[in-house]
Amino acid sequence: MKHYSLVDDLGTLHTFNEVPQRIISLVPSQTELLVDLGLESKIVGITKFCIHPKDLKTKKAIVGGTKKVDYNKIKALNPDIIICNKEENTLEIVENLRLICTVWITDIVTIEDNLKMISDFGNLFDCIEKANEWNANLTFALSDFKQFIESKPIQKAAYFIWKNPYMVAGSGNFINELLQFNRFENVFANQSRYPEIELQKINENGNLDFVFLSSEPYPFKDKDVLEMTNFCKQSKIILVDGEMFSWHGSRLLKALRYFKELHQKL
């Protein structure tokens, strides 16, 4: 029997008498990471938003979304551990889930947080070698991207995540971290989280070089680009893949390739 203790990102100490065998993941990007760490057979429940890998939803029980879950369905799956995220899941959900089993909470704001999460999952699920391999590949790709990006000028950008009301990425989130890593100065970094803004005031910080319209959670389309042009006449307005800017975990490796392609198009 393996007895060990680990601390999650919110500082909660968890003690295990054996490696968790039945996992429920309520975070789409972390579901993808669990699969990439070779743990697909241990996953018993996921959300309706866990769309990677593509066929996973046909094999696993769907227990709800990220903000609303079916507690009875979760109990019936008899999980050993439920993976949550401070941003994705509500405190109320987490507190209710704790009545069922151990809830491990991640909080990913920086690239370092992301690497630490992968190491934590390696220790948590006894797949340290696979986790180290992913972190080694990511560390190499991050270093390579830094060299690619270092000669590019810093340019002003706004990153939209929602419409009606319009909401943008502020500071204190993974999107802002990746914008900075790409040498985009987030003009809303002086506001926290995801502030609502008025389009009429978007150029108060000076003309933007770029306006990024994300594919998720709101799926911005070409018609939104045209609409935005009325307010940002001097800016380049671009539809971007929201998963690449907001999904943490193993997705970061694909994101770095995506960012290179994005810069070559700008």
Side-chain angles (χ1 to χ4, degrees):
M1 184 177 285
K2 182 171 181 173
H3 183 86
Y4 59 104
S5 296
L6 294 167
V7 177
D8 72 17
D9 286 345
L10 293 197
T12 305
L13 177 68
H14 302 278
T15 299
F16 303 90
N17 290 322
E18 57 187 0
V19 178
Q21 298 298 312
R22 298 180 63 79
I23 306 167
I24 288 178
S25 173
L26 299 184
V27 190
S29 58
Q30 290 169 200
T31 300
E32 180 180 49
L33 172 60
L34 291 168
V35 172
D36 284 338
L37 290 174
L39 299 166
E40 182 176 338
S41 63
K42 294 184 179 183
I43 300 170
V44 295
I46 59 175
T47 75
K48 62 185 177 182
F49 303 116
C50 294
I51 56 173
H52 298 295
K54 284 185 166 52
D55 62 343
L56 197 66
K57 282 167 69 174
T58 65
K59 303 177 190 174
K60 306 296 179 182
I62 309 297
V63 299
T66 54
K67 310 295 185 201
K68 190 176 180 183
V69 298
D70 185 327
Y71 296 108
N72 290 329
K73 194 177 268 190
I74 288 173
K75 276 182 196 170
L77 289 169
N78 194 29
D80 299 321
I81 192 167
I82 301 168
I83 305 293
C84 289
N85 175 263
K86 184 183 176 186
E87 182 170 288
E88 291 272 355
N89 312 117
T90 66
L91 181 59
E92 181 188 359
I93 284 177
V94 168
E95 287 176 344
N96 288 329
L97 292 175
R98 281 185 174 136
L99 302 174
I100 299 172
C101 71
T102 296
V103 179
W104 182 275
I105 304 175
T106 64
D107 183 19
I108 314 299
V109 176
T110 68
I111 289 168
E112 280 304 313
D113 293 339
N114 195 61
L115 296 173
K116 177 182 176 293
M117 174 183 65
I118 295 171
S119 293
D120 285 346
F121 279 16
N123 289 315
L124 187 54
F125 298 113
D126 196 23
C127 54
I128 294 169
E129 194 174 321
K130 193 77 175 171
N132 287 345
E133 187 182 311
W134 267 101
N135 272 344
N137 288 337
L138 274 170
T139 301
F140 177 82
L142 286 161
S143 175
D144 174 68
F145 187 78
K146 274 182 187 171
Q147 287 184 322
F148 166 82
I149 201 80
E150 64 185 358
S151 61
K152 297 193 181 296
I154 293 173
Q155 295 174 291
K156 288 186 174 184
Y159 185 101
F160 282 76
I161 64 159
W162 200 257
K163 182 179 179 179
N164 298 327
Y166 280 105
M167 296 171 71
V168 294
S171 61
N173 54 58
F174 199 54
I175 295 171
N176 184 60
E177 170 87 347
L178 293 186
L179 287 171
Q180 287 183 326
F181 195 65
N182 277 278
R183 294 178 72 81
F184 297 125
E185 179 192 334
N186 181 3
V187 295
F188 293 103
N190 59 338
Q191 298 182 55
S192 65
R193 311 302 297 154
Y194 303 100
E196 288 182 25
I197 67 155
E198 294 176 42
L199 283 185
Q200 293 84 347
K201 298 179 180 177
I202 193 167
N203 287 312
E204 283 183 348
N205 298 313
N207 281 329
L208 294 169
D209 295 299
F210 299 106
V211 172
F212 297 126
L213 303 182
S214 179
S215 61
E216 66 163 46
Y218 182 89
F220 285 98
K221 306 289 188 212
D222 288 332
K223 63 180 182 180
D224 298 300
V225 173
L226 290 172
E227 193 177 319
M228 193 72 70
T229 304
N230 297 322
F231 297 95
C232 309
K233 290 184 169 57
Q234 309 299 317
S235 311
K236 197 167 183 182
I237 302 161
I238 301 168
L239 295 170
V240 294
D241 187 334
E243 290 177 4
M244 298 302 182
F245 276 95
S246 65
W247 280 39
H248 44 258
S250 46
R251 173 55 55 120
L252 183 57
L253 197 59
K254 288 179 181 171
L256 292 167
R257 292 196 289 269
Y258 171 82
F259 295 149
K260 277 189 178 182
E261 292 170 8
L262 180 65
H263 281 281
Q264 282 156 359
K265 289 177 190 171
L266 295 179

